[in-house]
Structure formats: structure tokens, C-alpha cells
Amino acid sequence: MTALVIIEGVVILLLAILVVGLLRSHADVLRALHELGVNPHERTPLGGAAGNFEIATRPGVPEPRAHADLGAHDIAGSTIDGGSAVVSVAGVDHTTLIAFLSSGCSTCADFWAAFEHGEADQIPGVSTRLVVVTQGPELESVSTLAELAAPGLTTVMSSEAWDDYGVPVSPYFVLVDGPSGRVAGEGAASSWPQVLDLLRKAVADGGMDLRPRRTRREFLTGSQREERADRELATAGIHPGHASLYPETLDDVEGDGDDD
Amino acid sequence: MSTNIESFGISVEVPDGWNGQIFRRPGDAGAQPQAVDEGDSSTFPVVHVGNFWLPAVRGDFGSGAVEQMSHDDVLVCLLEYEPEAASTALFAHEGIPRFTAGDFDPRTMQRSVAGMAGAQAFFRVNGRAFCVYAVVGSYARRSHLAPSVNRVLEGIEIG
């Protein structure tokens, strides 16, 4: 009984020390916030010199969007051939990477070249689609775009889309999660590998499902099934030419059963 | 809700969540379909509207996209022909047609894909000749999918 009382006393003492430590830590945080000009109880910045500080990005780094609107907008505009197009990115079953490029910016040239060389096909996950969006024809050189845009690239000219997404600079990339219709990530990048790296992180952070959607042809022809069967047979030690693949009698087929 | 796209005298209401494009093949920029001379290499406007992702490279009748369709998908293709064709018997039907489930047939597919079905009709509007070709991802579900095709057709206006 005495031992229990002693143990209980020790536990209470440890808890008391823990509470005191937390209160001190809390006081330190409040003091630091106060020195920065923030009064958490009033939820407004304090006046004075300390209250005039501003958070800013480093020079050369684009500012984040002023009013972050995380809702995605479908893209509608004209096409390089003089036609028009609408690309749905919200409420769809795939992820869309929107690349805001220009015909004039030098950094964009690297991306145009990368896409021409088929690097857009290496986007993580088969279910991620790429759409290149430039400003409208009134702000772009359509003839230059016709030379830059690869035939296999979905390219839409839409100043409205630039406004919808508040694009601060080009090149700029926005990743849209189709099922939720929300922007999963966005930012500027100077090279395509950098975009891919950011994309992988955004996908991992967001827990997004980028598993490939099986097409009807794949489902019907069973092209994936054949590969899977080969893989499972190899795992079981059955390779091309294995005797079990060429039974000559029913006993060969039912050999295992006979053994039992 | 829908988004309107308009080019070459054709206006299309694309339903929300769908993709659509009005285009012409390279080499014919600037030529209005009505003004194309005989012997001109220009092609005529093509409209593609689908409730799935449309790959950038597609044939006029949707090849390249049809292969990507699942059983709930629908693709509507509208193709214009030379104005002279509008006076032929093939294009005698006036106005944009509608399809019933019975119009869809696997044998109407431009390129046969198991399980899918297509429907095709020729017509004219304002002296312009057109063909509309629609594909449903599932022949078994054609009754369910045909109204989606007609919804797109109802949203097309030809000037």
C-alpha cells in the first residue's frame, strides 16, 4: 500500500513538472508572437514599428496567388488552327497538369522542346493528362506557336484561363485533381525535370491515385493479363519450354492429383 | 451547365465535364468553308465532343480516341463536306438529326471495336453538308447512352 502511494506521488510530481514546462513553452511562444507584432487574443496585428513587417518571397521568385482559389476551372479558348476547344479538368476521373507557357519567354522554349521530344509522355501516372495553355491570340504569336506546339500536345489559347488561375509568370504549372475539382499544387519551374519532381511530391503529399485507367481495348484483349500470367508462371519456376506446358497425356495434366 | 465553343460558323454547347473541339486540318487556315474553291486542298471543319479525355491526335472519325473509351463513354463527331454535296440525295435530310438506341449498331463503327457501337447520319443545314457520327462505349448500354449523344446534338448550331 505504501509503495502504491509513493508511486502515485512520483507520477503526480512528474505530471506537475510536465505542465509547468508546457506553460513556460506557451509563454515563450506568446512572447515571440508579441515581439513580431501579433496579438493572438485580438487576432489583429499590433501597431508600432514591429507591426509593419511584411512576408515576401525572395527576389526573382513569383509571389503566390493573392487570393488562392483552390477550385479548378475548365479551360476554354481557341486553338492554333483557328478552331476552338474546351478541356474539362474538374469533375473528371483523371489528374490534369496545366502548363501555362508563352511563345515569347525564353524559359518556355525548353519546355516546348521537351514536349516535342515526347517527354510529356513521362508524366508520373498514366492517368495524368497534360494541357498547354497560352494566352489568347491577341497576346501571342500564333505562327510561332504553330511551330512550337507538337502535334500530339493538347494546346489551348485562353487568356481567361490565365485569369482564372491567377498565373503570375510563365512558365507556370498547376496540377488539378479531377475527381475533387481542386488544385492539388502549383508553382513555377525552370525545367521539365523540376516539374516532374514537384509533381511526384505533390502526388505523394496529396495521396492522389494515379493508377492507370484500363482502356476497353486493354480489358477486352487482355494484353495486361498475358504479361501478368507470364510473370506468375515465372515466379512459380515455369519458363518457356517447361515440360508442364506440353502435357502428352491426361496423367501429365493431373499428375499432382495422382500423387495425392 | 455547359461551355460554348464556336468556330467556322459552328457553335457547340459542350456539357460540363465533357471535352470538345472544333478544328480543321493544317493548311487550310483562313479559308471559310463556303469560300473553298474546287480543287483546293483545304479540309472542312470537324467537331469532336466526348465525355472523356480526347487525345490530341485523332482521326476525323475519332480514331485514336475511340480506343480509349470505356463502357460509359460517348463520342460525337460532326464532319462538314464540300458545299456541292448538300444538293445530293445523300444529304437530303434537312436539319441536325437525333439518334435512337436502335440506330446504334456495331457494324456502323468505322473500325470495329468489340462491345462498342456507332450511328451515322448525313444531313444539310443552310446549304452546308454534314455527317454526324456517334460512338457509344457499350452496345449493351446504348439505350442509356443515346440521350447523351442527343444532348450534344441539341447544343449544335450551324450558321
Side-chain angles (χ1 to χ4, degrees), chain B:
Chain B
M1 290 292 290
S2 61
T3 302
N4 182 267
I5 56 174
E6 186 173 358
S7 294
F8 315 124
I10 301 171
S11 167
V12 182
E13 289 287 339
V14 180
D16 266 4
W18 289 51
N19 297 284
Q21 186 178 359
I22 307 174
F23 64 96
R24 286 196 296 188
R25 297 296 174 194
D28 54 349
Q32 291 300 310
Q34 295 89 341
V36 175
D37 295 331
E38 213 172 313
D40 193 322
S41 61
S42 301
T43 58
F44 293 90
V46 178
V47 178
H48 285 168
V49 181
N51 61 348
F52 62 102
W53 174 264
L54 298 178
V57 178
R58 305 182 302 273
D60 288 351
F61 286 89
S63 60
V66 170
E67 295 83 352
Q68 306 295 320
M69 292 173 67
S70 71
H71 65 282
D72 275 330
D73 290 342
V74 164
L75 176 68
V76 178
C77 306
L78 179 73
L79 298 89
E80 182 167 8
Y81 288 79
E82 62 274 12
E84 292 75 13
S87 58
T88 64
L90 181 63
F91 295 89
H93 183 276
E94 191 75 38
I96 302 171
R98 304 289 186 269
F99 292 122
T100 66
D103 293 324
F104 287 92
D105 191 313
R107 291 170 296 183
T108 311
M109 297 284 291
Q110 294 289 324
R111 289 169 64 182
S112 180
V113 178
M116 295 188 186
Q120 190 172 26
F122 297 86
F123 64 97
R124 65 186 177 203
V125 174
N126 298 330
R128 299 171 69 176
F130 291 91
C131 164
V132 61
Y133 171 66
V135 179
V136 292
S138 169
Y139 177 64
R141 291 169 56 79
R142 61 192 183 283
S143 298
H144 175 72
L145 298 173
S148 296
V149 173
N150 288 332
R151 183 181 170 200
V152 173
L153 295 176
E154 286 163 9
I156 297 177
E157 289 185 12
I158 298 171

Side-chain angles (χ1 to χ4, degrees), chain A residues 5-156:
Chain A
V5 170
I6 292 171
I7 290 170
E8 189 178 52
V10 170
V11 169
I12 290 171
L13 182 63
L14 288 173
L15 285 173
I17 293 170
L18 181 65
V19 169
V20 169
L22 285 172
L23 287 173
R24 284 191 60 181
S25 172
H26 182 65
D28 289 342
V29 170
L30 287 177
R31 192 180 304 114
L33 286 172
H34 191 80
E35 287 170 359
L36 286 170
V38 178
N39 185 344
H41 299 297
E42 294 182 5
R43 296 186 182 280
T44 54
L46 295 174
N52 293 332
F53 82 99
E54 291 181 357
I55 297 174
T57 58
R58 291 182 178 178
V61 178
E63 294 281 347
R65 286 196 274 165
H67 304 287
D69 174 11
L70 294 178
H73 306 268
D74 291 340
I75 297 160
S78 55
T79 53
I80 296 169
D81 67 338
S84 51
V86 57
V87 178
S88 288
V89 299
V92 296
D93 62 358
H94 58 262
T95 306
T96 308
L97 177 64
I98 308 172
F100 291 95
L101 302 182
S102 168
S103 60
C105 83
S106 56
T107 311
C108 296
D110 294 335
F111 289 97
W112 290 114
F115 296 153
E116 187 177 6
H117 295 132
E119 293 188 32
D121 298 334
Q122 298 170 16
I123 297 176
V126 177
S127 295
T128 304
R129 316 296 188 184
L130 174 69
V131 183
V132 174
V133 181
T134 70
Q135 299 249 38
E138 70 282 2
L139 296 172
E140 292 282 2
S141 166
V142 179
S143 59
T144 304
L145 285 176
E147 295 173 3
L148 291 171
L153 203 58
T154 299
T155 308
V156 181

Side-chain angles (χ1 to χ4, degrees), chain A residues 162-183:
Chain A
W162 281 57
D163 291 338
D164 287 341
Y165 285 92
V167 178
V169 67
S170 64
Y172 197 77
F173 295 84
V174 175
L175 182 67
V176 175
D177 178 39
S180 68
R182 308 285 288 176
V183 172

